[in-house]
Amino acid sequence: MNARNLILSLVAGFGLTLQSHAAMISGSALQTVLDGITVGSDSSINVQSDQLINDETWSISAASGAVATLIIELAGFADTTSFGIYDVSNPGNFVELMDGPSGPGAQTLVNIMADGQVRVNFADTGTFFANNLFGFYIDVPGQGARWHSETDLNVDGVDHMVALAGNDSDVVQLPGFAPGLWQSTEYILAFEDLFNGGDRDYTDFVVMVASIVPVPEPGSLALLALALAGIGISRRRRA
């Protein structure tokens, strides 16, 4: 049994549930995007079953920073949609990483410095985050909305972002770049830009971000800790 299933089994055994943010994707458009960038065969990643459960908050995992590369935009609002990160402790504090005119292959380097200042492409932004903990967003002026990776922050209560992790197996080729291994430290983030989820194809803005890691939400960690503590108590009683 893998670690994810073991955790879910442990929690379920104590009458608890971990909040799941897996989205129901309509149609095959997102799978077609993944298959299209995979070299030599279709992608071994299934966009329905291989989604990350906890994909709301993130941190940069590399000393050199994180790199975001735009794969595709298939949306009526593509020319005005922007993409960025926001401070989890203050969602109104955000930094744009890509703007509307950005096209496939556009790339941005982001660093969070020791004092919390966010740098984009080696330039100080003048924006400070509380720490190395952030969420992703797309801003869609045509919808008058900003969609966050944290579902509770979305005015329609809909999960607008799907996250998929590399498996250190598939070779992918992003627009304009040579093929390379899709590593487990690289994540594809796929957004739905329409209010109430629209057509739920999650191909309106698709980007790969390298050198980041998902950070489980405190509530999920607390539930898991409680479940593990319960197992410890149960074992001691049986002993």
Side-chain angles (χ1 to χ4, degrees):
M1 179 180 292
N2 63 35
R4 170 180 159 183
N5 290 336
L6 176 59
I7 289 171
L8 293 177
S9 297
L10 294 176
V11 173
F14 284 85
L16 302 171
T17 58
L18 288 176
Q19 185 179 7
S20 173
H21 300 287
M24 292 301 297
I25 301 172
S26 296
S28 59
L30 183 57
Q31 189 67 56
T32 298
V33 170
L34 260 63
D35 292 344
I37 65 172
T38 304
V39 176
S41 65
D42 287 344
S43 177
S44 65
I45 302 295
N46 184 297
V47 300
Q48 297 286 1
S49 60
D50 293 330
Q51 297 176 37
L52 270 67
I53 292 180
N54 290 295
D55 64 357
E56 296 204 332
T57 56
W58 302 77
S59 66
I60 295 173
S61 59
S64 57
V67 177
T69 306
L70 181 58
I71 297 174
I72 195 169
E73 279 188 277
L74 298 175
F77 302 116
D79 290 340
T80 57
T81 296
S82 59
F83 165 74
I85 59 175
Y86 64 89
D87 186 345
V88 167
S89 67
N90 177 14
N93 196 25
F94 64 92
V95 172
E96 180 180 288
L97 302 182
M98 295 181 184
D99 59 13
S102 298
Q107 198 168 72
T108 303
L109 171 68
V110 59
N111 301 87
I112 298 178
M113 311 307 292
D115 61 358
Q117 178 157 199
V118 181
R119 286 184 178 176
V120 174
N121 294 331
F122 304 106
D124 294 341
T125 63
T127 300
F128 292 78
F129 283 7
N131 48 46
N132 182 20
L133 184 63
F134 55 87
F136 291 98
Y137 75 84
I138 58 170
D139 192 88
V140 190
Q143 291 286 284
R146 174 171 293 160
W147 305 126
H148 306 78
S149 54
E150 291 181 277
T151 302
D152 289 346
L153 296 178
N154 296 332
V155 294
D156 59 0
V158 171
D159 187 353
H160 281 263
M161 192 192 85
V162 168
L164 302 161
N167 56 10
D168 295 317
S169 174
D170 286 4
V171 174
V172 298
Q173 184 168 18
L174 304 188
F177 293 89
L181 191 67
W182 184 5
Q183 299 181 358
S184 56
T185 56
E186 298 173 317
Y187 296 85
I188 284 181
L189 311 178
F191 288 86
E192 172 56 57
D193 71 346
L194 296 179
F195 193 82
N196 283 335
D199 56 10
R200 295 180 183 269
D201 62 1
Y202 290 85
T203 59
D204 300 312
F205 189 97
V206 183
V207 62
M208 178 178 280
V209 185
S211 302
I212 57 171
V213 290
V215 179
E217 300 134 272
S220 295
L221 290 175
L223 288 175
L224 177 57
L226 182 58
L228 294 175
I231 289 172
I233 293 171
S234 177
R235 285 178 174 171
R236 285 196 295 272
R237 285 175 178 173
R238 287 199 300 269

